[in-house]
Amino acid sequence: MHLVRTFLISFLAIASISSARAQSLPGDFVYLRDIDPTIIQDIRYATANNFVGRPLAGYNAGECVVKRDVGMRLKAVQQELTAQNLSLKMFDCYRPARASLDMVKWSQDGRETPADRRYNPRIPKTELFRLGYIASRSQHSTGAALDLTLVDLKADNSARIDPSKNYADCTAPVGARLPEDSVDMGTGYDCTDVKGHTAAPSINGDQRAWRKRLVATMAKQGFVNYSKEWWHFSLPGVGGAAYDFPIQPRRN
């Protein structure tokens, strides 16, 4: 009986160590939920709801992984927004380098599907890298870049995608394009179009006000917006080497 008990204790210890190793993240990365679980997450590249139309390589879970300093600053942003009945919604955080290579392959496969055109209605996907909309070496892989938006917590955010519906492209009015359960920024997320540029003159006053509010709130914590994408922010000085570890489910 003593030997059986010793074996069980040893087995459980080994299992616990293995689980901890599976959960550990390199380079001061953390799960954002461990820092602030109130921040809404919709990690689109872990789903089929993105411009590629399938989960990207390395996204084994829909979890936002960030550098610790980035996470702490996001927590501060969220605290300010919560007082205004708003919340951040994360679309993408750390991105494995293999996912960027997956995007490159997608852009070169010679096919343009209706789903592709929904996200890039006016630009052939073979041009997306040359024009700076997608990078083969992304800041996301360093842990310094984020894609996000704002959610009005007082609004009805219950809309869900209807697979049978033929949605308009990402530049269409908010009621015609894919629902994102967030404030109307003038385009959908990942919209590769001049209307998606942060200072685009073609959006209305309310949409421009939301964009300015997002940029200003993020800037208070040191985040810088990318001018061609209203949703893309980075934190200078936090980047460095690109990583390629896959995003795994977070343990509760």
Side-chain angles (χ1 to χ4, degrees), residues 115-133:
D116 294 340
R117 304 309 298 173
R118 188 177 290 150
Y119 289 91
N120 51 301
R122 298 175 183 84
I123 304 172
K125 67 181 187 179
T126 53
E127 293 290 295
L128 297 180
F129 285 87
R130 184 181 67 81
L131 295 174
Y133 288 104

Side-chain angles (χ1 to χ4, degrees), residues 14 22 55 113 117 244:
I14 292 170
T113 68
R117 304 309 298 173
D244 192 37

Side-chain angles (χ1 to χ4, degrees), residues 50-242:
N50 59 61
F51 67 90
V52 177
R54 57 171 173 75
L56 288 177
Y59 283 82
N60 299 338
E63 289 288 346
C64 174
V65 174
V66 293
K67 287 289 185 72
R68 183 174 298 278
D69 186 28
V70 171
M72 296 306 296
R73 291 172 188 248
L74 288 174
K75 180 181 178 70
V77 171
Q78 182 75 348
Q79 288 174 340
E80 178 178 345
L81 292 173
T82 299
Q84 305 168 45
N85 289 306
L86 297 172
S87 173
L88 289 172
K89 175 186 270 193
M90 313 304 299
F91 287 129
D92 194 32
C93 303
Y94 159 74
R95 180 185 305 165
R98 70 190 75 180
S100 295
L101 295 178
D102 204 1
M103 291 179 182
V104 174
K105 293 177 182 177
W106 165 83
S107 74
Q108 298 172 344
D109 66 15
R111 297 191 301 271
E112 291 271 19
T113 68
D116 294 340
R117 304 309 298 173
R118 188 177 290 150
Y119 289 91
N120 51 301
R122 298 175 183 84
I123 304 172
K125 67 181 187 179
T126 53
E127 293 290 295
L128 297 180
F129 285 87
R130 184 181 67 81
L131 295 174
Y133 288 104
I134 305 175
S136 55
R137 184 190 182 280
S138 173
Q139 275 190 305
H140 283 275
S141 299
T142 71
L146 308 158
D147 293 343
L148 50 82
T149 190
L150 293 174
V151 174
D152 182 351
L153 298 176
K154 296 181 295 181
D156 179 3
N157 297 308
S158 61
R160 295 294 178 266
I161 295 174
D162 181 353
S164 66
K165 187 173 180 179
N166 185 24
Y167 292 100
D169 70 60
C170 60
T171 65
V174 66
R177 62 182 189 257
L178 282 164
E180 293 185 338
D181 299 335
S182 55
V183 303
D184 180 12
M185 291 288 189
T187 74
Y189 166 57
D190 257 355
C191 190
T192 50
D193 187 88
V194 292
K195 196 173 180 180
H197 295 189
T198 308
S202 56
I203 59 175
N204 66 39
D206 289 341
Q207 295 161 348
R208 185 171 297 106
W210 280 121
R211 292 188 187 189
K212 288 182 177 179
R213 190 170 186 174
L214 177 60
V215 171
T217 305
M218 294 292 289
K220 290 179 184 178
Q221 293 299 322
F223 292 101
V224 177
N225 174 248
Y226 176 47
S227 64
K228 287 189 174 182
E229 299 175 346
W230 60 257
W231 55 85
H232 181 101
F233 293 82
S234 59
L235 186 61
V238 175

